[in-house]
Amino acid sequence: MRLLIVVDNERLAGLIAEGLGRRGFICDMAPDLATAEDSLAGAEFDAIILDLGLPDGDGLAWLQHQRALRQLVPALMLTARGGLEDRIAGLDAGADDYLVKPVDIEELAARIRALLRRPGPRAVSVLESGPLRFDPVTREARLDDRVIDLSRREADLLELLMRRLGSVVVRDAIENALYSFNEPVTPNAVEAIVSRLRRKLEEAGLAGQLHTVRGVGYMLRSG
């Protein structure tokens, strides 16, 4: 699951990204609202972590404006403003949750997972393709009752392919979904992840469903 961290404190944003990265999230950072808007235009995110006091504007007003413009993904406000009136204003402006700094990374991760379980356009539910099941919250893949042991990126790839079951997913879209903007990507990185995922699916008993469309991308056929 991909998160956008809109926090102007570079050290704090880096610590959050590192902590959430260890817990299975792909994190991009935006130090201001202009960068946040560019990021949202360039990639799909599952949730936003948003500070209030940003160099080019107030996070509350920005969030309220974004909610009016589009169906924005869940947003968790992370701020030093901890008064009751501040929390009420944040939730009324469109925040889905509100945390006061300093925050424990375990709680932050749990809050994000809870947000993604809520009903809505980005709500997660178990994805299915015949006997293959993938839970986007627990990141667990199963073939019938057998758990398939996947790395974080293998799980991210499987989720992407299952969400677009039966359709070709182009290589650039896979790279964009699996890596944050500032991560270095080797030329054969996507091919290597696809190869590992295909092998694990075949070893679990699901052969011939992950297809390569040469020069275009990859597709998972329904079971």
Side-chain angles (χ1 to χ4, degrees), residues 45-174:
F45 293 91
D46 295 287
I48 299 171
I49 298 171
L50 177 66
D51 204 347
L52 295 187
L54 292 158
D56 54 350
D58 180 71
L60 268 181
W62 179 83
L63 179 61
Q64 200 162 29
H65 180 63
Q66 291 296 317
R67 289 283 187 224
L69 284 178
R70 64 171 115 180
Q71 201 167 45
L72 194 64
V73 297
L76 182 148
M77 282 194 168
L78 181 63
T79 175
R81 304 179 198 173
L84 177 60
E85 290 184 358
D86 294 314
R87 296 198 300 273
I88 291 172
L91 295 169
D92 283 346
D96 297 278
D97 202 351
Y98 195 107
L99 277 176
V100 179
K101 304 173 189 172
V103 63
D104 181 85
I105 199 71
E106 290 287 3
E107 180 182 4
L108 179 57
R111 296 267 192 140
I112 293 168
R113 289 192 295 267
L115 285 183
L116 296 174
R117 287 195 295 268
R118 292 181 184 176
R122 297 291 293 173
V124 292
S125 57
V126 175
L127 304 172
E128 298 184 4
S129 173
L132 179 64
R133 294 165 58 86
F134 181 80
D135 188 326
V137 173
T138 65
R139 317 303 293 158
E140 184 178 81
R142 286 179 173 269
L143 187 64
D144 295 319
D145 292 327
R146 179 182 175 183
V147 175
I148 304 173
D149 184 25
L150 300 177
S151 70
R152 188 194 81 181
R153 294 204 204 279
E154 291 161 3
D156 289 341
L157 174 60
L158 180 60
E159 178 181 1
L160 177 62
L161 293 171
M162 291 188 74
R163 287 191 183 277
R164 303 185 189 180
L165 191 65
S167 299
V168 177
V169 184
V170 299
R171 187 190 183 282
D172 286 349
I174 294 173

